[in-house]
Short mmCIF file of all heavy atoms in Angstrom, two decimals:
data_model
loop_
_atom_site.label_atom_id
_atom_site.label_comp_id
_atom_site.label_asym_id
_atom_site.label_seq_id
_atom_site.Cartn_x
_atom_site.Cartn_y
_atom_site.Cartn_z
N GLY T 1 78.26 -6.67 95.72
CA GLY T 1 77.66 -6.31 94.36
C GLY T 1 78.50 -5.24 93.72
O GLY T 1 78.79 -5.35 92.53
N CYS T 2 78.92 -4.24 94.46
CA CYS T 2 79.71 -3.13 93.92
C CYS T 2 81.07 -3.65 93.44
O CYS T 2 81.52 -3.22 92.37
CB CYS T 2 79.87 -2.00 94.91
SG CYS T 2 78.34 -1.10 95.31
N ALA T 3 81.65 -4.53 94.27
CA ALA T 3 82.90 -5.08 93.92
C ALA T 3 82.82 -5.93 92.62
O ALA T 3 83.67 -5.90 91.76
CB ALA T 3 83.51 -5.94 95.03
N GLY T 4 81.72 -6.65 92.54
CA GLY T 4 81.52 -7.51 91.35
C GLY T 4 81.36 -6.67 90.10
O GLY T 4 81.86 -6.92 89.00
N ILE T 5 80.61 -5.51 90.24
CA ILE T 5 80.45 -4.59 89.07
C ILE T 5 81.74 -4.04 88.67
O ILE T 5 82.11 -3.94 87.50
CB ILE T 5 79.44 -3.50 89.45
CG1 ILE T 5 78.02 -4.09 89.62
CG2 ILE T 5 79.39 -2.40 88.40
CD1 ILE T 5 77.02 -3.10 90.14
N ALA T 6 82.56 -3.59 89.65
CA ALA T 6 83.89 -3.04 89.31
C ALA T 6 84.73 -4.05 88.65
O ALA T 6 85.46 -3.73 87.66
CB ALA T 6 84.55 -2.58 90.64
N LEU T 7 84.71 -5.33 89.05
CA LEU T 7 85.49 -6.37 88.37
C LEU T 7 85.03 -6.60 87.05
O LEU T 7 85.87 -6.72 86.09
CB LEU T 7 85.43 -7.61 89.25
CG LEU T 7 86.26 -8.82 88.70
CD1 LEU T 7 87.74 -8.45 88.63
CD2 LEU T 7 86.02 -10.02 89.52
N CYS T 8 83.72 -6.59 86.79
CA CYS T 8 83.20 -6.79 85.46
C CYS T 8 83.59 -5.64 84.52
O CYS T 8 83.87 -5.89 83.39
CB CYS T 8 81.71 -6.95 85.50
SG CYS T 8 81.15 -8.48 86.26
N VAL T 9 83.55 -4.45 85.07
CA VAL T 9 83.98 -3.34 84.26
C VAL T 9 85.45 -3.43 83.89
O VAL T 9 85.78 -3.18 82.71
CB VAL T 9 83.75 -1.96 85.05
CG1 VAL T 9 84.40 -0.75 84.32
CG2 VAL T 9 82.22 -1.76 85.21
N ALA T 10 86.31 -3.84 84.83
CA ALA T 10 87.76 -4.02 84.55
C ALA T 10 87.94 -5.11 83.49
O ALA T 10 88.74 -4.91 82.53
CB ALA T 10 88.46 -4.37 85.84
N ILE T 11 87.26 -6.22 83.58
CA ILE T 11 87.34 -7.28 82.63
C ILE T 11 86.83 -6.79 81.21
O ILE T 11 87.47 -7.09 80.22
CB ILE T 11 86.56 -8.51 83.03
CG1 ILE T 11 87.16 -9.09 84.34
CG2 ILE T 11 86.49 -9.53 81.92
CD1 ILE T 11 86.42 -10.30 84.86
N GLY T 12 85.76 -6.03 81.20
CA GLY T 12 85.25 -5.49 79.96
C GLY T 12 86.24 -4.48 79.29
O GLY T 12 86.45 -4.53 78.06
N ALA T 13 86.87 -3.68 80.13
CA ALA T 13 87.86 -2.74 79.58
C ALA T 13 89.02 -3.47 79.02
O ALA T 13 89.58 -3.10 77.95
CB ALA T 13 88.34 -1.79 80.70
N ALA T 14 89.45 -4.57 79.69
CA ALA T 14 90.64 -5.35 79.18
C ALA T 14 90.18 -6.01 77.92
O ALA T 14 91.05 -6.08 76.97
CB ALA T 14 91.02 -6.45 80.25
N ALA T 15 89.00 -6.57 77.79
CA ALA T 15 88.54 -7.18 76.56
C ALA T 15 88.49 -6.21 75.42
O ALA T 15 88.88 -6.54 74.28
CB ALA T 15 87.19 -7.83 76.83
N LEU T 16 87.97 -5.05 75.72
CA LEU T 16 87.93 -4.03 74.70
C LEU T 16 89.29 -3.58 74.20
O LEU T 16 89.53 -3.40 73.00
CB LEU T 16 87.12 -2.78 75.18
CG LEU T 16 86.98 -1.58 74.24
CD1 LEU T 16 86.21 -1.99 72.94
CD2 LEU T 16 86.34 -0.44 74.92
N GLY T 17 90.21 -3.40 75.14
CA GLY T 17 91.55 -3.10 74.74
C GLY T 17 92.21 -4.11 73.89
O GLY T 17 92.92 -3.81 72.93
N ALA T 18 92.03 -5.40 74.23
CA ALA T 18 92.53 -6.48 73.45
C ALA T 18 91.95 -6.52 72.02
O ALA T 18 92.64 -6.77 71.01
CB ALA T 18 92.28 -7.81 74.11
N TYR T 19 90.65 -6.15 71.92
CA TYR T 19 89.98 -6.09 70.59
C TYR T 19 90.53 -4.95 69.78
O TYR T 19 90.87 -5.14 68.56
CB TYR T 19 88.50 -5.85 70.79
CG TYR T 19 87.74 -5.65 69.52
CD1 TYR T 19 87.45 -6.76 68.68
CD2 TYR T 19 87.36 -4.42 69.13
CE1 TYR T 19 86.79 -6.51 67.47
CE2 TYR T 19 86.71 -4.16 67.91
CZ TYR T 19 86.41 -5.24 67.15
OH TYR T 19 85.74 -5.08 65.95
N LEU T 20 90.79 -3.79 70.39
CA LEU T 20 91.34 -2.67 69.69
C LEU T 20 92.75 -2.89 69.15
O LEU T 20 93.16 -2.37 68.08
CB LEU T 20 91.23 -1.42 70.53
CG LEU T 20 89.78 -0.90 70.85
CD1 LEU T 20 89.87 0.31 71.75
CD2 LEU T 20 89.10 -0.49 69.58
N TRP T 21 93.53 -3.58 70.00
CA TRP T 21 94.91 -3.89 69.64
C TRP T 21 95.05 -5.10 68.77
O TRP T 21 96.17 -5.50 68.36
CB TRP T 21 95.75 -4.04 70.93
CG TRP T 21 96.06 -2.73 71.60
CD1 TRP T 21 95.38 -2.27 72.67
CD2 TRP T 21 96.99 -1.79 71.27
NE1 TRP T 21 95.90 -0.99 73.02
CE2 TRP T 21 96.89 -0.66 72.16
CE3 TRP T 21 98.00 -1.71 70.25
CZ2 TRP T 21 97.73 0.42 72.11
CZ3 TRP T 21 98.83 -0.58 70.21
CH2 TRP T 21 98.67 0.46 71.10
N GLY T 22 93.96 -5.72 68.49
CA GLY T 22 94.02 -6.92 67.61
C GLY T 22 94.68 -8.12 68.19
O GLY T 22 95.23 -8.97 67.48
N THR T 23 94.61 -8.19 69.54
CA THR T 23 95.27 -9.37 70.22
C THR T 23 94.21 -10.28 70.83
O THR T 23 94.45 -10.84 71.91
CB THR T 23 96.23 -8.87 71.24
OG1 THR T 23 95.56 -8.06 72.17
CG2 THR T 23 97.39 -8.10 70.60
N VAL T 24 93.09 -10.42 70.18
CA VAL T 24 92.04 -11.20 70.73
C VAL T 24 92.45 -12.70 70.69
O VAL T 24 92.92 -13.21 69.62
CB VAL T 24 90.74 -11.09 69.95
CG1 VAL T 24 89.67 -11.93 70.51
CG2 VAL T 24 90.29 -9.61 70.05
N VAL T 25 92.37 -13.38 71.85
CA VAL T 25 92.69 -14.80 71.93
C VAL T 25 91.50 -15.44 72.52
O VAL T 25 90.61 -14.90 73.20
CB VAL T 25 93.95 -14.99 72.81
CG1 VAL T 25 95.18 -14.37 72.19
CG2 VAL T 25 93.75 -14.41 74.20
N PRO T 26 91.44 -16.77 72.35
CA PRO T 26 90.28 -17.52 72.98
C PRO T 26 90.31 -17.25 74.52
O PRO T 26 91.29 -17.47 75.22
CB PRO T 26 90.61 -18.97 72.68
CG PRO T 26 91.45 -18.90 71.41
CD PRO T 26 92.27 -17.66 71.56
N GLY T 27 89.18 -16.81 75.02
CA GLY T 27 89.08 -16.44 76.43
C GLY T 27 87.99 -17.26 77.20
O GLY T 27 87.31 -16.63 78.07
N TRP T 28 87.90 -18.43 76.91
CA TRP T 28 86.87 -19.29 77.56
C TRP T 28 87.10 -19.31 79.05
O TRP T 28 86.15 -19.23 79.84
CB TRP T 28 86.95 -20.72 77.01
CG TRP T 28 85.87 -21.63 77.63
CD1 TRP T 28 84.60 -21.76 77.20
CD2 TRP T 28 86.04 -22.43 78.78
NE1 TRP T 28 83.90 -22.63 78.04
CE2 TRP T 28 84.76 -23.03 79.01
CE3 TRP T 28 87.04 -22.66 79.67
CZ2 TRP T 28 84.55 -23.92 80.02
CZ3 TRP T 28 86.87 -23.54 80.70
CH2 TRP T 28 85.60 -24.15 80.91
N THR T 29 88.36 -19.50 79.54
CA THR T 29 88.64 -19.64 80.97
C THR T 29 88.23 -18.35 81.71
O THR T 29 87.55 -18.39 82.74
CB THR T 29 90.16 -19.88 81.19
OG1 THR T 29 90.45 -21.14 80.53
CG2 THR T 29 90.44 -20.04 82.70
N SER T 30 88.72 -17.20 81.19
CA SER T 30 88.44 -15.92 81.86
C SER T 30 86.91 -15.65 81.88
O SER T 30 86.41 -15.18 82.90
CB SER T 30 89.18 -14.80 81.20
OG SER T 30 88.79 -14.67 79.89
N MET T 31 86.25 -15.98 80.78
CA MET T 31 84.81 -15.73 80.74
C MET T 31 84.09 -16.70 81.68
O MET T 31 83.14 -16.27 82.43
CB MET T 31 84.32 -15.98 79.31
CG MET T 31 82.79 -15.69 79.12
SD MET T 31 82.45 -13.99 79.41
CE MET T 31 83.28 -13.21 77.98
N PHE T 32 84.51 -17.91 81.80
CA PHE T 32 83.85 -18.84 82.69
C PHE T 32 84.05 -18.41 84.13
O PHE T 32 83.10 -18.42 84.89
CB PHE T 32 84.53 -20.18 82.50
CG PHE T 32 83.92 -21.32 83.37
CD1 PHE T 32 82.64 -21.85 83.12
CD2 PHE T 32 84.66 -21.71 84.44
CE1 PHE T 32 82.14 -22.80 83.96
CE2 PHE T 32 84.14 -22.69 85.34
CZ PHE T 32 82.86 -23.20 85.06
N VAL T 33 85.30 -18.00 84.51
CA VAL T 33 85.53 -17.56 85.85
C VAL T 33 84.68 -16.31 86.19
O VAL T 33 84.17 -16.17 87.31
CB VAL T 33 87.06 -17.22 86.05
CG1 VAL T 33 87.31 -16.59 87.37
CG2 VAL T 33 87.83 -18.53 85.91
N ALA T 34 84.61 -15.41 85.26
CA ALA T 34 83.81 -14.16 85.49
C ALA T 34 82.34 -14.49 85.70
O ALA T 34 81.72 -13.92 86.66
CB ALA T 34 84.01 -13.18 84.36
N LEU T 35 81.83 -15.34 84.90
CA LEU T 35 80.43 -15.71 85.02
C LEU T 35 80.11 -16.49 86.36
O LEU T 35 79.10 -16.17 87.05
CB LEU T 35 79.98 -16.62 83.83
CG LEU T 35 79.86 -15.96 82.48
CD1 LEU T 35 79.51 -16.96 81.45
CD2 LEU T 35 78.75 -14.87 82.53
N MET T 36 81.07 -17.34 86.72
CA MET T 36 80.92 -18.03 88.00
C MET T 36 80.98 -17.05 89.20
O MET T 36 80.21 -17.17 90.17
CB MET T 36 82.04 -19.08 88.17
CG MET T 36 81.84 -20.29 87.31
SD MET T 36 80.40 -21.35 87.65
CE MET T 36 81.00 -22.00 89.26
#
């Protein structure tokens, strides 16, 4: 559970960074993998 939380935080940080830099791309695959 702790490892899952850490991974989700890392994915969230990467998503926030992409948003701030304006490089948002369709992320269906990464979102699907994270949810699974």
